[in-house]
Amino acid sequence: MFAVLSIALPIFFILFFFTLRSSRRAVYLLDFCCYKPAGEAQKCSKELVMERSRLYGNFTEETLGFMDKISDRSGLGQSTYLPEALLREPPSPSMGEARREAEAVVFGAVDQLLAAAGVKGEELAILVVNCSVFNVVPCLSDMVVNRYKLRDGAVSYNLSGMGCGAGLCAIGLAEQLLQVHRNSYALVVSTENITQNAYMGNDRSMVLLNCLFRVGGAAVLLSNRPSDLASSKYQLIHTVRSHTASSDRSYECIFQQEDGEGRVGVTITKDLMAVAIHAIKANVTSLGRVVLPLSEQILYLSNCALRRLRVADIQPYVPKFKSAFDHFFPHVGGKPVLDELERSLGFSGTQMEACRMTLYRFGNTSSSSVWYELAYAEAKGRIKRGDRVWQIAFGSGFKCSSAVWRATRTVDRERKNPWSDEIDQFPVDPQQVVGSFPYYFEPSE
């Protein structure tokens, strides 16, 4: 009897597990849109950024020289976007201007998305908006509810302070809500706000963000309605989130605070790279258990066992994640992080093309950057039916999130894509970086 139970119980729990998994509602991505300012008014070159910083900032010559060095080695091109308020003479970074930036980005992306999908505001059952450092009353999700007249019963969330990884956290939240609300649409809006968050002091640990972050945002429409499979672009397969904020080193490596003169900025400490790689490894380890081919999992586990037993001087085995995915879209962050990801995960220059071109063309748009990358691949005509897509984003906290999608159809070039009118100009060969990137800093005193 005991022998029968010892065999039957594991089989029962395995079948129960797969029954639970199969009962989860499928989540489809119907479409997404990325914001791109119209015309040339908000375009800014490196020289223009430095000119405005010299004329209207409170920077010393040493700080300006440091910013110039960062800009030359950042990987950003000459046509990224800044808010209109920061390009005026003199700049006018007021609350009203910050709200206007938010409205332009959010409404610009959502207007285009809903029009393309043929969905009205009152049809949306779920809304998740994320913006890290701009928090107003009423909040940004209220702004969307008011503009698009969502019904009273709609569920809305406003995520703040979660950094560049918040966009995929929002996707994970929307996925969970879609397991509860049947036959529903969910709108996810990811953005950041630059107008009031440019740092105007001389703490080197804070000026980095001025050189990397630019205007951007994305709106994503999800559905759990079975009838939407045919019209969808992707099906959401997995979301995995890792959080390391219990470690003081992780918690403090990106920190908004005042400098010694009372100017508010975001400190980036010398621990950033180590913390980011640790969080990414934790996330990748969890993800690998559900996406890697069995052969790769066996090789990885065997390597871990041999190293633990110290059978020989064996180097750690890095699973071939490129065997599990057709497309890889990491948050652009900055050039050093992309270089390390390319090296440690074994991706090729071609597989890293979308993220490097996004950094070059749009800069670091925070939580929306992974959507500009996916838009790049779509504009290039590279997304084919059945392709597996991996997005991974990381940010303050420190947190790291992954989303895995499967293309439900081949995606043609589309005019609403932010790359459409210039995609044939890419890829470009960004300026070759000479010397190390000054990415590590001491905490602000």
Side-chain angles (χ1 to χ4, degrees):
M1 183 66 177
F2 177 77
V4 173
L5 286 175
S6 66
I7 297 172
L9 283 175
I11 294 175
F12 170 78
F13 283 114
I14 290 172
L15 291 174
F16 180 69
F17 172 75
F18 281 106
T19 300
L20 283 178
R21 284 182 62 86
S22 63
S23 66
R24 291 183 64 80
R25 293 191 176 95
V27 174
Y28 305 109
L29 190 159
L30 301 186
D31 210 344
F32 70 95
C33 287
C34 300
Y35 174 71
K36 182 180 181 180
E40 305 290 316
Q42 289 182 246
K43 280 189 178 180
C44 61
S45 63
K46 299 173 189 177
E47 291 75 19
L48 181 60
V49 172
M50 291 306 302
E51 176 192 331
R52 291 293 191 275
S53 299
R54 187 176 298 278
L55 288 175
Y56 301 112
N58 300 297
F59 306 115
T60 64
E61 286 300 320
E62 290 77 12
T63 299
L64 289 167
F66 182 69
M67 291 171 62
D68 192 38
K69 182 185 296 185
I70 291 175
S71 297
D72 286 341
R73 302 175 181 181
S74 65
L76 273 68
Q78 296 287 70
S79 300
T80 57
Y81 299 99
L82 280 177
E84 292 182 3
L86 296 184
L87 294 174
R88 295 197 184 107
E89 299 185 13
S92 54
S94 64
M95 172 65 76
E97 290 292 344
R99 190 183 290 274
R100 275 187 279 277
E101 179 194 343
E103 290 174 346
V105 174
V106 172
F107 295 163
V110 176
D111 282 353
Q112 191 176 35
L113 175 63
L114 296 185
V119 174
K120 298 179 180 179
E122 58 265 27
E123 298 179 80
L124 299 172
I126 298 164
L127 169 66
V128 184
V129 180
N130 71 269
C131 182
S132 189
V133 294
F134 180 60
N135 304 294
V136 289
V137 179
C139 65
L140 296 182
S141 62
D142 294 336
M143 181 177 77
V144 175
V145 170
N146 177 260
R147 163 88 170 194
Y148 299 99
K149 307 305 177 188
L150 274 65
R151 62 179 185 265
D152 291 345
V155 178
S156 65
Y157 290 84
N158 196 86
L159 307 183
S160 63
M162 298 182 71
C164 301
L168 295 186
C169 291
I171 293 293
L173 174 58
E175 179 196 22
Q176 295 298 316
L177 293 169
L178 285 168
Q179 300 307 311
V180 179
H181 299 269
R182 300 180 60 185
N183 296 316
S184 297
Y185 290 120
L187 175 65
V188 176
V189 182
S190 299
T191 189
E192 196 49 84
N193 196 280
I194 310 296
T195 298
Q196 286 192 308
N197 292 290
Y199 172 65
M200 294 299 178
N202 291 286
D203 188 323
R204 289 192 176 188
S205 69
M206 295 181 174
V207 298
L208 179 65
L209 273 68
N210 293 1
C211 304
L212 293 177
F213 280 76
R214 297 293 186 264
V215 168
V220 183
L221 185 63
L222 305 175
S223 170
N224 61 8
R225 306 191 321 172
S227 59
D228 284 331
L229 169 60
S231 59
S232 66
K233 284 186 174 182
Y234 306 92
Q235 181 177 347
L236 183 58
I237 306 302
H238 299 290
T239 55
V240 175
R241 183 182 176 196
S242 305
H243 205 292
T244 61
S246 58
S247 160
D248 289 345
R249 186 186 187 197
S250 295
Y251 176 69
E252 295 170 357
C253 77
I254 300 178
F255 210 92
Q256 187 177 32
Q257 60 184 344
E258 295 176 336
D259 66 11
E261 298 179 346
R263 296 188 177 95
V264 176
V266 177
T267 292
I268 296 179
T269 76
K270 63 180 180 180
D271 294 325
L272 174 63
M273 186 67 78
V275 163
I277 296 303
H278 173 70
I280 291 169
K281 283 183 177 178
N283 189 266
V284 165
T285 300
S286 298
L287 183 66
R289 297 175 187 143
V290 294
V291 300
L292 283 174
L294 182 60
S295 59
E296 284 297 307
Q297 295 193 46
I298 291 172
L299 286 171
Y300 176 73
L301 292 173
S302 300
N303 178 269
C304 289
L306 290 173
R307 285 190 295 113
R308 184 175 291 273
L309 294 172
R310 300 180 180 178
V311 172
D313 185 15
I314 298 176
Q315 294 298 314
Y317 177 72
V318 179
K320 295 181 175 63
F321 275 87
K322 58 186 177 183
S323 67
F325 302 105
D326 300 288
H327 307 280
F328 176 53
F329 303 124
H331 165 55
V332 299
K335 186 179 182 299
V337 178
L338 297 182
D339 291 344
E340 178 61 24
L341 282 173
E342 180 176 346
R343 185 196 66 79
S344 60
L345 294 179
F347 284 98
S348 67
T350 300
Q351 290 168 311
M352 297 293 291
E353 180 184 314
C355 59
R356 293 192 186 278
M357 292 304 98
T358 295
L359 179 63
Y360 179 85
R361 177 62 183 85
F362 292 98
N364 184 339
T365 61
S366 189
S367 58
S368 64
S369 69
V370 292
W371 298 107
Y372 286 88
E373 296 172 56
L374 181 54
Y376 180 91
E378 289 188 354
K380 282 289 186 182
R382 294 175 180 171
I383 304 295
K384 309 300 181 184
R385 183 178 180 180
D387 280 1
R388 297 153 298 175
V389 174
W390 178 20
Q391 295 174 311
I392 183 169
F394 32 87
S396 58
F398 202 86
K399 63 186 69 68
C400 181
S401 296
S402 285
V404 178
W405 309 85
R406 183 175 60 243
T408 53
R409 61 181 171 90
T410 296
V411 180
D412 299 323
R413 291 188 173 197
E414 298 168 341
R415 281 182 290 180
K416 61 181 176 56
N417 191 299
W419 297 89
S420 295
D421 60 347
E422 53 186 305
I423 190 62
D424 293 333
Q425 302 172 26
F426 293 92
V428 300
D429 182 18
Q431 180 181 356
Q432 293 299 311
V433 176
V434 180
S436 61
F437 189 90
Y439 212 87
Y440 308 100
F441 306 98
E442 296 293 342
S444 179
E445 296 296 334

